[in-house]
Amino acid sequence: MDEEYDVIVLGTGLKECILSGLLSVDGLKVLHMDRNDYYGGDSTSLNLNQLWKRFRGEDKPPAHLGASRDYNVDMVPKFMMANGTLVRTLIHTDVTKYLSFKAVDGSYVFSKGKIHKVPATDMEALKSPLMGLFEKRRARNFFIYVQDYDEADPKTHQGLDLTTMTTRELIAKYGLSDDTVDFIGHALALHRDDRYLNDPAIDTVKRMKLYAESLARFQGGSPYIYPLYGLGELPQGFARLSAVYGGTYMLNKPDCKVEFDMEGKVCGVTSEGETAKCKKVVCDPSYLPNKVRKIGRVARAIAIMSHPIGSTNESHSVQIILPQKQLGRKSDMYVFCCSYTHNVAPKGKFIAFVSTEAETDNPESELKPGIDLLGPVDELFFDTYDRYEPVNEPSLDNCFVSTSYDATTHFETTVTDVLNMYTMITGKTVDLSVDLSAASAAEEY
């Protein structure tokens, strides 16, 4: 422990593990510690006995649910966009070799009380029951504009400057209705609320293009992929990567105390009476509670079921987004479902999550619109957790704290945080121009 390190990483949540992997590959000397005796921190994966102990206070689940070891229930379940930043990061670091992916069956949106497949191309827009005949034509024209748009080729811009034009102005040009804007903004571009309407349209257009390109990648029913055996494999994959490049891992290290010098800069971490010196610390909010502030709460329900969600074409893995407006809320609600086909539950069993940013103190009634979509459930657990973000100035104290996981059921926001932190720590950006075919394992299943 008495050595000196470039960076000490505290907590083995997914964000911290990705960072320790990236920094180790860069040649930095990294020590990675966790107070728990397991990987994953808040984003860990539980078997049935662990799930039972956490939510029911006992570790004897009923026998009809099957073997405990057949369950891998992710505590922060999120799908990955097939061409998105997380997959690019996995390929950039070669962590793909530790994981097998499988495509996710369906991507749906809740509109006017019903579940609909999210149309992502001009042809799908024409077939979608989400819109009437005239609206379909307008939406098709908008989709064609987005598909053809190339930032580097002004001919495709049709005289519009999307870096100054707002999304609201672009949508008004195509005359799209509020309900159409709702599914485009929330289920395709994956915005979490409606603030994006006043932002430059280029961001939304890029997000729509990412969705469509990811969807085309595996020719499946969704743009998402998910690792077999769940996300618990991810932190461990990055931990292996870090170890290959000389990183040191220590689990079960209680009371990790961050030490500061006279100037308020971090100078080491003490655990069990020993201090490891370092220049920088990377951690989740729980390790430096005086350098973060609470920014919200996530409410969620976890269900074990014996059937797929209705109206999803028997999808064994699916995301359903319930846009805020459809529910009269300030933020979206998300349904995530995965099953034995991704090896996260025994044969015939499905795991579903309903999550949202809490707006009341009653998560059970708040989550009802999402839970109602699930149909009959074998078991239902409720959970809330606080969300934190850093308030410190890293250039002054050399502490780099990640933001808590949000309610979304996809990874785009999580990885944006990681890559921003990487740039703050190193002054560099990760090169994500990679050969995406390196993550094509999903097609084998």
Side-chain angles (χ1 to χ4, degrees):
M1 275 283 281
D2 292 337
E3 291 183 62
E4 178 154 356
Y5 296 87
D6 293 312
V7 181
I8 295 180
V9 182
L10 301 175
T12 51
L14 183 67
K15 291 186 182 185
E16 288 70 39
C17 285
I18 295 176
L19 279 166
S20 98
L22 289 170
L23 297 170
S24 298
V25 171
D26 271 0
L28 296 180
K29 190 173 179 186
V30 177
L31 170 62
H32 201 147
M33 294 171 14
D34 195 317
R35 63 170 81 92
N36 300 312
D37 59 359
Y38 56 84
Y39 281 104
D42 289 340
S43 51
T44 192
S45 193
L46 305 181
N47 64 28
L48 188 59
N49 289 348
Q50 292 167 325
L51 188 72
W52 220 255
K53 195 163 190 150
R54 179 159 171 174
F55 293 107
R56 298 273 196 263
E58 51 198 70
D59 52 3
K60 279 281 167 282
H64 69 84
L65 291 177
S68 169
R69 67 172 182 278
D70 289 340
Y71 284 85
N72 293 293
V73 183
D74 292 314
M75 286 296 95
V76 184
K78 292 177 188 282
F79 290 134
M80 301 174 197
M81 195 69 91
N83 284 16
T85 34
L86 179 55
V87 171
R88 289 174 183 274
T89 307
L90 290 170
I91 295 167
H92 168 79
T93 52
D94 211 18
V95 169
T96 37
K97 67 177 172 228
Y98 302 125
L99 300 160
S100 295
F101 293 100
K102 182 169 164 31
V104 171
D105 295 340
S107 174
Y108 288 78
V109 64
F110 180 80
S111 182
K112 299 183 190 148
K114 289 200 175 119
I115 299 175
H116 298 279
K117 186 177 184 313
V118 177
T121 64
D122 58 312
M123 295 317 289
E124 286 188 349
L126 282 178
K127 289 188 223 151
S128 175
L130 273 167
M131 299 168 284
L133 185 63
F134 295 111
E135 182 68 6
K136 278 180 178 168
R137 286 188 194 154
R138 289 190 286 269
R140 179 171 182 251
N141 289 338
F142 178 60
F143 276 126
I144 289 171
Y145 175 75
V146 170
Q147 276 156 255
D148 291 346
Y149 184 87
D150 176 354
E151 212 176 349
D153 181 1
K155 285 205 289 291
T156 65
H157 302 184
Q158 295 181 14
L160 307 179
D161 181 358
L162 300 194
T163 58
T164 55
M165 186 179 210
T166 66
T167 311
R168 193 187 299 279
E169 289 164 345
L170 178 64
I171 281 162
K173 191 171 167 12
Y174 284 89
L176 302 178
S177 75
D178 281 354
D179 284 326
T180 304
V181 173
D182 224 17
F183 84 73
I184 286 174
H186 293 260
L188 271 174
L190 303 180
H191 292 292
R192 288 177 288 170
D193 52 43
D194 279 342
R195 283 179 300 198
Y196 75 94
L197 288 167
N198 300 318
D199 291 339
I202 184 74
D203 178 46
T204 296
V205 167
K206 281 182 175 170
R207 286 165 173 247
M208 288 177 68
K209 288 178 83 65
L210 172 64
Y211 188 104
E213 286 157 10
S214 296
L215 182 69
R217 176 92 181 281
F218 293 124
Q219 308 292 319
S222 88
Y224 302 107
I225 60 177
Y226 199 66
L228 292 176
Y229 303 100
L231 295 172
E233 303 292 303
L234 264 181
Q236 294 181 41
F238 279 101
R240 282 183 203 163
L241 172 77
S242 181
V244 166
Y245 284 90
T248 307
Y249 267 74
M250 294 181 184
L251 294 180
N252 212 3
K253 298 296 284 184
D255 309 319
C256 292
K257 181 172 180 287
V258 181
E259 307 283 359
F260 295 91
D261 65 16
M262 303 293 285
E263 294 172 358
K265 280 191 171 8
V266 69
C267 59
V269 175
T270 301
S271 174
E272 298 174 309
E274 291 185 290
T275 301
K277 296 192 189 73
C278 66
K279 302 182 185 82
K280 292 174 180 173
V281 160
V282 172
C283 65
D284 71 46
S286 70
Y287 286 88
L288 282 173
N290 60 340
K291 291 190 183 283
V292 297
R293 69 180 175 117
K294 183 176 161 182
I295 49 170
R297 277 167 76 229
V298 173
R300 59 196 183 156
I302 305 169
I304 300 175
M305 317 192 301
S306 299
H307 60 86
I309 297 174
S311 307
T312 63
N313 194 22
E314 299 290 305
S315 291
H316 280 213
S317 50
V318 67
Q319 173 177 265
I320 307 165
I321 293 181
L322 294 77
Q324 52 176 83
K325 240 188 218 149
Q326 302 292 328
L327 307 175
R329 292 174 48 81
K330 295 190 202 69
S331 47
D332 293 357
M333 193 172 291
Y334 301 87
V335 176
F336 168 103
C337 180
C338 224
S339 70
Y340 60 95
T341 54
H342 273 88
N343 301 354
V344 299
K347 190 149 180 57
K349 294 291 179 195
F350 294 73
I351 310 285
F353 278 74
V354 182
S355 58
T356 190
E357 188 68 26
E359 295 175 10
T360 70
D361 287 328
N362 188 344
E364 301 189 19
S365 62
E366 207 170 334
L367 293 165
K368 190 175 184 310
I371 293 169
D372 287 349
L373 299 178
L374 302 181
V377 300
D378 303 340
E379 295 291 340
L380 192 61
F381 310 91
F382 286 96
D383 183 30
T384 57
Y385 64 87
D386 291 335
R387 289 203 309 120
Y388 297 93
E389 70 174 11
V391 290
N392 64 312
E393 178 44 68
S395 63
L396 299 178
D397 58 15
N398 285 335
C399 294
F400 301 86
V401 187
S402 61
T403 302
S404 305
Y405 298 93
D406 60 29
T408 61
T409 42
H410 52 79
F411 260 118
E412 296 305 293
T413 51
T414 301
V415 189
T416 305
D417 185 33
V418 170
L419 296 177
N420 288 341
M421 287 176 71
Y422 173 83
T423 301
M424 281 199 305
I425 297 162
T426 63
K428 299 190 294 191
T429 51
V430 182
D431 177 16
L432 295 178
S433 55
V434 294
D435 175 11
L436 283 160
S437 64
S440 60
E443 296 168 274
E444 293 163 21
Y445 290 91

